[in-house]
């Protein structure tokens, strides 16, 4: 499928099927999955479209094992996998730049004019510069991938079967799915965006808002029966991935 980004750039994205050939169609674009609706449009599956009552009700029971497996097939792992371009891709990108094409054309012209030493000098400098750029770009891409790849252990509330009582268990953050109930520990680095349903905590959002002082988060308040959660309106109850939560209050 041909997609257009917010910056106007075009890209070709393959259409996949979540959970197998009979699953819902989706487009993976910029680390998000856009699922096909009944009208044929592709929209992201956002938990923020759920009413507040659904968050508060799920916080008491957690997800069953079968529901976790189903959502893992649909949403995939909770990881930000930054692709590292291959050496061939970087080399082609560097060779096809206007400056590199001009340098190659200059080498051809100087060879035709019998300035062989000058042509060889330009060719050596061009190849050496392209090699250094390739090494630096690939090294930067690997460093960015290591920074974006974050995985840790998380305590979640889950049930073995839908009729069982919920219990805490330790899982890796990559196994989290939308709707999981996680327990916030002291000085914990959040592996995902979350909604605070009970208790309270203090988080550092300096990188996000520029505020130097920590922000006190409050549990999600009960609203109307059909009132939906809004990250902007309910910002005091929204927790964002990557920010530390020091000294959480008991639920």
């Amino acid at each position: 499928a041909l997609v257009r980004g917010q910056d106007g750039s075009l890209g070709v994205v393959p259409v996949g099927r979540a959970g197998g050939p009979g699953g819902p169609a989706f487009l993976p674009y910029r680390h998000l999955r856009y699922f096909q609706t009944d009208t044929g449009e592709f929209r992201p599956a956002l938990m923020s479209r759920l009413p507040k009552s659904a968050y508060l009700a799920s916080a008491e029971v957690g997800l069953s094992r079968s529901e976790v497996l189903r959502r893992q097939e649909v949403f995939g792992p909770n990881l930000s996998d930054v692709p590292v371009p291959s050496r061939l891709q970087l080399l082609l990108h560097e060779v096809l730049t206007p400056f590199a094409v001009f340098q190659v054309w200059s080498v051809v012209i100087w060879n035709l004019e019998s300035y062989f030493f000058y042509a060889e000098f330009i060719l050596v400098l061009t190849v050496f510069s392209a090699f250094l750029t390739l090494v630096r770009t690939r090294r930067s891409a690997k460093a960015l991938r290591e920074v974006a790849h974050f995985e840790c252990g998380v305590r979640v509330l889950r049930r073995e079967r839908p009729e069982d009582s919920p219990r805490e268990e330790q899982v890796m953050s990559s196994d989290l799915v939308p709707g999981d109930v996680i327990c916030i520990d002291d000085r914990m680095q959040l592996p995902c965006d979350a909604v605070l349903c009970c208790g309270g905590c203090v988080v550092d959002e300096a990188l996000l808002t520029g505020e130097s002082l920590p922000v006190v988060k409050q549990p999600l308040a009960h609203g109307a029966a059909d009132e939906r959660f809004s990250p902007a309106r309910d910002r005091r109850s929204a927790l964002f991935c990557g920010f530390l939560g020091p000294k959480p209050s008991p639920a």
Side-chain angles (χ1 to χ4, degrees):
L2 185 65
V3 298
R4 181 186 296 273
Q6 294 182 351
D7 55 356
S9 60
L10 295 176
V12 179
V13 179
V15 179
R17 291 283 180 178
F26 71 92
L27 291 174
Y29 183 67
R30 294 186 178 180
H31 307 290
L32 285 178
R33 288 188 176 186
Y34 293 79
F35 290 88
Q36 189 175 22
T37 61
D38 296 335
T39 59
E41 299 178 332
F42 286 87
R43 296 181 178 274
L46 300 177
M47 295 294 292
S48 59
R49 295 177 179 174
L50 297 178
K52 293 183 179 181
S53 57
Y55 287 98
L56 299 174
S58 62
E60 300 177 357
V61 295
L63 298 177
S64 63
R65 187 73 57 186
S66 58
E67 182 65 20
V68 170
L69 294 177
R70 188 187 71 84
R71 296 192 183 192
Q72 285 178 346
E73 292 181 351
V74 173
F75 295 99
N78 180 41
L79 286 175
S80 295
D81 189 13
V82 179
V84 177
S86 63
R87 293 182 177 86
L88 180 59
Q89 291 177 329
L90 293 175
L91 182 61
L92 291 177
H93 182 270
E94 185 65 24
V95 169
L96 297 179
T97 58
F99 179 74
V101 174
F102 173 76
Q103 292 292 78
V104 172
W105 176 251
S106 300
V107 170
V108 174
I109 294 298
W110 289 120
N111 276 303
L112 293 177
E113 295 293 334
S114 300
Y115 288 93
F116 302 110
F117 178 78
Y118 188 67
E120 292 175 358
F121 181 73
I122 294 178
L123 181 60
V124 170
L125 285 181
T126 302
V127 173
F128 183 70
S129 176
F131 174 76
L132 289 181
T133 303
L134 187 148
V135 172
R136 287 197 302 265
T137 304
R138 186 170 174 83
R139 187 178 300 170
S140 300
K142 287 184 177 180
L144 180 62
R145 184 176 188 177
E146 292 177 357
V147 171
H149 183 88
F150 174 72
E151 195 172 7
C152 65
V154 184
R155 291 189 298 121
V156 298
L157 193 66
R158 287 181 179 176
R159 295 169 292 163
E160 191 65 30
R161 292 174 298 181
E163 61 272 12
D164 292 343
S165 300
R167 59 183 179 86
E168 287 188 9
E169 61 179 72
Q170 188 85 7
V171 300
M172 297 303 297
S173 59
S174 57
D175 296 328
L176 293 175
V177 296
D180 256 330
V181 181
I182 64 176
C183 302
I184 301 177
D185 298 323
D186 188 19
R187 304 301 302 177
M188 175 183 177
Q189 186 171 358
L190 297 176
C192 62
D193 294 342
V195 179
L196 188 62
C197 293
C198 57
C201 62
V202 181
V203 298
D204 183 9
E205 295 184 352
L207 295 177
L208 183 64
T209 62
E211 297 183 11
S212 58
L213 297 178
V215 179
V216 178
K217 295 294 183 176
Q218 302 172 352
L220 187 66
H222 289 271
D226 57 347
E227 184 180 356
R228 298 182 182 275
F229 172 78
S230 172
R233 183 182 63 249
D234 302 305
R235 187 177 180 83
R236 283 294 181 182
S237 303
L239 304 177
F240 300 100
C241 176
F243 296 101
L244 301 179
K247 297 181 180 180
S249 302

